[in-house]
Amino acid sequence: MSRVLIVKSNLEPFRVPFYARLQERLAREGVELEVAVPRACCPPQRPPWLAPVWTARFSLAGKKVCWQAVSAQARRADLVIVQQVARELTNYTLLVFRRQAGFKLALWGHGTEFQRSWTTPLAQWVKWRLFSGIDYWFAYTPGVAEIVAQTGYPRERICTVFNSLDTDGEQQLRRQVTAEQSAALRRRLGMSSAARLICYCGSLYKAKRLDMLLAACQLLRASGVDLHVAILGGGAEKRSLEKLASRDPWLHLAGAIHGRAKALWLNASQCVVIPGVVGLAVVDAFVHECPLITTDIAGHGPEIEYLVDHVNGLKVSNEVSSLATAIRSVLEDATLRERLRRGCREAAAQFTLANMVEHFAAGVAAALRLPRLAASGAMATLQ
């Protein structure tokens, strides 16, 4: 039996269904999967694929870095897959250790920097020297695969996984929401029968540009649109939003909600609006048939390429007035709204968790089959 180890510095809840299904899929091919994460991240009831490891977190040159004790798991593995993140010191240890231990090493990630600026010219040179011989690449999206290939890395060693979340689970939650439940939510919010509800879904931090969202909503309300806004999520901007919500009854803070509660809010909303950086939230919008509106800015996650303007969402110029116009068009143009909802349904059927599992499993099979890559001029960029 071949063994695969994925090393992660955290255990995101949305990844758990992926690991569980990947383990089942690989087992059918005679491949054993382990996912090494810090002990502090592990739930009391540990699934069979989860490997708790000792972890050290500290600051280095003003940056938070992480090191995980995975040598025992790596020695048992034929393939080790690590995050494409420069601050993970474990990656450098595994680079040195892999020849001695005999495993192949692969990267899984964005292919380039999107929201962070971690790289200096010296660090970039070090990465180029160290990671030019990585054996395989798991790219989030086709665009990421192209970025990696343009560095000179062999295309036959790149797998596009089509990064997604638990779409089956989200679909099930969406179908459980009733019209009566949505109507009850509107009454609880004090909305009139003519009022419209839109929502924001994600973490609350500056790069999401919630100030721009609220400015667009104020512009619409000033023009006579009876608009309410729901903010789904938690984070650094929560306190300032609480002050605004105490003053403006049309602004509702739902908090960091998941599962049925999130599905209810999305079902009751006519669109999701995230003016700032967008990642996997676009898949959430597809699954719940709640079209996403965002702005055409740098810094989006790679999943933004799933959004096709005026097909399954809207991407507008970086201006408050443009954002407000786009929101109004979705609220008032039933034909546009239905076209976008149809596009969401089609995209949701394409970017599924099952699709991601199949692509990832195919990449694992290819990485195990191929010989090690000799060091070359190809560069595997880290964030």
Side-chain angles (χ1 to χ4, degrees):
M1 177 174 279
S2 299
R3 291 182 171 87
V4 175
L5 173 67
I6 297 176
V7 181
K8 292 282 290 182
S9 59
N10 54 7
L11 182 63
E12 306 101 325
F14 74 89
R15 284 289 184 220
V16 171
F18 167 71
Y19 296 136
R21 292 179 63 170
L22 182 63
Q23 183 210 23
E24 294 174 1
R25 179 64 180 83
L26 293 178
R28 296 203 296 269
E29 306 298 327
V31 178
E32 181 182 305
L33 174 68
E34 273 192 307
V35 182
V37 301
R39 291 184 187 279
C41 298
C42 296
Q45 299 298 318
R46 180 161 59 91
W49 46 263
L50 189 59
V53 296
W54 184 83
T55 303
R57 299 181 189 272
F58 51 94
S59 294
L60 181 65
K63 303 291 184 180
K64 293 182 179 179
V65 297
C66 176
W67 182 83
Q68 294 167 262
V70 297
S71 59
Q73 289 79 10
R75 281 193 183 94
R76 297 194 298 265
D78 300 286
L79 172 66
V80 177
I81 304 170
V82 299
Q83 298 171 269
Q84 180 227 350
V85 181
R87 65 183 179 277
E88 301 297 332
L89 300 185
T90 317
N91 294 356
Y92 304 94
T93 305
L94 291 169
L95 273 168
V96 175
F97 181 54
R98 64 179 174 147
R99 298 293 179 186
Q100 174 192 344
F103 57 82
K104 295 173 186 174
L105 189 62
L107 285 178
W108 175 17
H110 291 179
T112 188
E113 295 180 3
F114 283 85
Q115 297 178 32
R116 297 186 184 90
S117 181
W118 217 88
T119 301
T120 64
L122 176 60
Q124 190 72 12
W125 181 85
V126 170
K127 295 171 200 173
W128 185 89
R129 297 295 297 174
L130 288 176
F131 291 91
S132 60
I134 286 291
D135 298 300
Y136 203 77
W137 248 100
F138 292 86
Y140 272 42
T141 63
V144 170
E146 187 59 31
I147 289 169
V148 176
Q150 286 177 1
T151 69
Y153 194 82
R155 290 182 183 270
E156 67 273 15
R157 290 179 178 269
I158 305 171
C159 167
T160 301
V161 303
F162 293 93
N163 195 40
S164 190
L165 41 76
D166 183 13
T167 50
D168 291 342
E170 290 295 324
Q171 289 277 17
Q172 196 170 30
L173 291 169
R174 183 182 68 83
R175 288 191 289 267
Q176 291 172 357
V177 177
T178 66
E180 291 77 11
Q181 289 171 330
S182 294
L185 175 62
R186 290 175 60 90
R187 288 194 298 271
R188 192 168 79 241
L189 300 179
M191 296 176 62
S192 69
S193 58
R196 313 296 180 86
L197 179 66
I198 67 172
C199 73
Y200 165 90
C201 188
S203 298
L204 311 181
Y205 58 95
K206 287 190 182 299
K208 294 293 188 176
R209 305 176 75 201
L210 290 155
D211 55 340
M212 185 177 187
L213 167 61
L214 296 180
C217 292
Q218 287 166 343
L219 196 63
L220 287 168
R221 287 186 60 82
S223 69
V225 179
D226 189 358
L227 179 65
H228 286 238
V229 186
I231 306 295
L232 318 185
E237 300 290 294
K238 181 182 177 182
R239 182 163 296 182
S240 60
L241 288 169
E242 286 174 338
K243 292 179 181 178
L244 294 174
S246 65
R247 183 194 68 195
D248 298 322
W250 53 268
L251 178 59
H252 312 282
L253 305 187
I257 57 173
H258 306 281
R260 286 188 177 185
K262 185 183 75 173
L264 173 59
W265 283 94
L266 288 170
N267 183 274
S269 301
Q270 293 188 281
C271 60
V272 178
V273 185
I274 306 177
V277 294
V278 170
L280 275 173
V282 68
V283 179
D284 250 338
F286 291 157
V287 172
H288 291 278
E289 298 180 18
C290 194
L292 173 68
I293 303 174
T294 189
T295 57
D296 189 9
I297 57 171
H300 287 302
E303 297 83 6
I304 192 64
E305 64 188 86
Y306 300 163
L307 188 151
V308 182
D309 189 32
H310 278 82
V311 174
N312 54 33
L314 297 178
K315 186 188 287 187
V316 302
S317 61
N318 186 25
E319 299 166 345
V320 171
S321 58
S322 297
L323 185 64
T325 298
I327 296 170
R328 183 191 287 271
S329 66
V330 171
L331 296 180
E332 298 181 353
D333 188 337
T335 301
L336 170 64
R337 191 165 61 250
E338 183 49 42
R339 182 169 78 243
L340 295 179
R341 285 172 59 88
R342 183 171 62 249
C344 285
R345 287 193 294 272
E346 293 171 356
Q350 179 181 359
F351 302 112
T352 63
L353 183 63
N355 182 56
M356 181 183 178
V357 168
E358 286 302 315
H359 281 88
F360 208 102
V364 167
L368 290 170
R369 181 179 66 250
L370 290 167
R372 286 186 178 81
L373 178 66
S376 68
M379 181 179 70
T381 307
L382 289 180
Q383 290 191 84

